[in-house]
C-alpha cells in the first residue's frame, strides 16, 4: 500500500500553498508524488466547448482524454469516495500520496492552522496527527513548523514514510 | 469486457458532433456510456490557478480531485495507451465505451467523412469498419448514414453491442 499523508485545516489556512511546496520538494528529491484534493463542493475541471466537455454534457458517465503525455478522467459518482478507495482504484505507481482536505480520513495527517491559538485546532485529539503547520510555536506533542517551511514537512514525510523505499 | 466502438475520421469531419448525438441518444435509452477522446496533441484540462493546477505544476505525477458527485484524475504518462488499456485501468461500470479518434484501434469503428468521395475514406479496407457517417450515400458493404443521424448510429450500436445486456 502506498503511504498517504493528509494536509487538513480550516478554509484559508494555507493548505494549498503548503502542499504545493511539499510536492515540489519531494519531486526534487525524485519521489513520485500523487496528490488528491478533496472537496464537498461541485467543481468544474474541463473547459466549456472542448470535445470532452461536449461528451460529458451529452450524458457520458465517464469521459477520458488520452494523449502520449497525459491522461485525464472525469467521472460522475453517486457518493463520496474515501482516500483509500481512490488510491486503490486509480493509483498504480507512486511513492507517496498527499491529500488536501478530508480531515475525517484515518490516514496520518498534518494540520495547517493560520491561528495562533491551540483552541482553533481541529485535530488535536486525533491519533493520526503527526505534525502541525503553524507560524506560532504551540508546544504540543507533535512537531510544529512554520507554514512556509515545505522543506521541513518534506523531511518529516521522507523520514516517516519514504526512507528505505 | 465492455464493448468499444470508435468514431474515426479526418480532422473536421464532424466526429465530435456525431459522437455527442450518439452519447445523448444512448444515455436517453438508459445505457451508461463512457467516452474516450484520443489526441496526439498536448491538452490542458485544468484551470490555471485552481488547487489541482497548483499540485500539477509543483510536480505531482497524478492529481485527483474528488467530491461526492464527481472525480477527476489527471496523470502524466510516458507513452500512448491503447483504448483497451485505458478501459482496463479506469472503467469499472459501463455498458458501452465510445471512442473519438484512435483509428489504429482494433475495435469496431465508424468512419466519419465530410467528403462525397470514397477515395477520401481512411478505413475502407479495415475489417473492423462497421458503418460510415457520410451525407452522400456511397453504396458500400457497410451501412452509410447521414452524419446528423445520431439516432441511426445509436440503433446500430444498440443492436450490435447492447441487446441482451
Amino acid at each position: 500500500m502506498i503511504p498517504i499523508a493528509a494536509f487538513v485545516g480550516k478554509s484559508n489556512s494555507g493548505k494549498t500553498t503548503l502542499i504545493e511546496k511539499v510536492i515540489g520538494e519531494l519531486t526534487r528529491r525524485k519521489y513520485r508524488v500523487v496528490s488528491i484534493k478533496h472537496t464537498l463542493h461541485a467543481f468544474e475541471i474541463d473547459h466549456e466547448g472542448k470535445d470532452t466537455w461536449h461528451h460529458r454534457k451529452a450524458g457520458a458517465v465517464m469521459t477520458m482524454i488520452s494523449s502520449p503525455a497525459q491522461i485525464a478522467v472525469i467521472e460522475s459518482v453517486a457518493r463520496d469516495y474515501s482516500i483509500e478507495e481512490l488510491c486503490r482504484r486509480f493509483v498504480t505507481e507512486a511513492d507517496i500520496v498527499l491529500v488536501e482536505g478530508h480531515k475525517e480520513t484515518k490516514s496520518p495527517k498534518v494540520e495547517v492552522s493560520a491561528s495562533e491559538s491551540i483552541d482553533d485546532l481541529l485535530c488535536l485529539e486525533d491519533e493520526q496527527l503527526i505534525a502541525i503547520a503553524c507560524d506560532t510555536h504551540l508546544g504540543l506533542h507533535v512537531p510544529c513548523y512554520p507554514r512556509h517551511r515545505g522543506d521541513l514537512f518534506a523531511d518529516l514525510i521522507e523520514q516517516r514514510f519514504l526512507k528505505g523505499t
Side-chain angles (χ1 to χ4, degrees), chain A:
Chain A
M1 190 67 186
I2 299 160
I4 299 169
F7 287 75
V8 302
K10 296 182 178 170
S11 297
N12 298 314
S13 55
K15 294 189 292 296
T16 304
T17 304
L18 175 56
I19 206 171
E20 191 182 351
K21 287 184 202 291
V22 177
I23 291 168
E25 191 67 41
L26 290 172
T27 299
R28 272 188 293 279
R29 298 179 195 183
K30 306 295 182 199
Y31 295 109
R32 290 163 306 173
V33 181
V34 166
S35 75
I36 302 178
K37 157 95 186 175
H38 181 259
T39 178
L40 292 172
H41 306 289
F43 63 85
E44 183 62 67
I45 198 163
D46 206 355
H47 295 262
E48 186 170 336
K50 293 263 188 170
D51 294 350
T52 42
W53 181 88
H54 282 286
H55 293 186
R56 292 278 300 163
K57 191 160 159 280
V61 294
M62 174 188 266
T63 292
M64 272 182 249
I65 176 167
S66 160
S67 81
Q70 196 170 250
I71 297 169
V73 181
I74 307 176
E75 182 181 31
S76 299
V77 291
R79 65 179 176 84
D80 207 14
Y81 279 62
S82 72
I83 297 302
E84 292 74 17
E85 286 174 306
L86 292 172
C87 289
R88 269 197 299 275
R89 173 96 194 275
F90 294 109
V91 181
T92 50
E93 285 185 58
D95 296 309
I96 180 86
V97 176
L98 299 183
V99 179
E100 180 177 340
H102 231 311
K103 72 173 191 292
E104 308 74 19
T105 182
K106 290 182 176 55
S107 302
K109 64 195 69 168
V110 172
E111 177 161 355
V112 186
S113 176
S115 161
E116 298 185 356
S117 166
I118 291 175
D119 298 337
D120 290 323
L121 294 175
L122 303 172
C123 301
L124 201 52
E125 308 291 314
D126 192 318
E127 289 183 358
Q128 292 292 333
L129 184 69
I130 59 167
I132 292 173
C134 176
D135 300 340
T136 306
H137 190 77
L138 299 174
L140 295 169
H141 61 293
V142 293
C144 179
Y145 306 132
R147 290 180 295 162
H148 70 281
R149 294 296 303 273
D151 58 322
L152 295 179
F153 291 96
D155 289 347
L156 183 81
I157 287 167
E158 191 173 26
Q159 286 294 333
R160 187 159 181 141
F161 300 112
L162 297 168
K163 283 295 182 195
T165 61

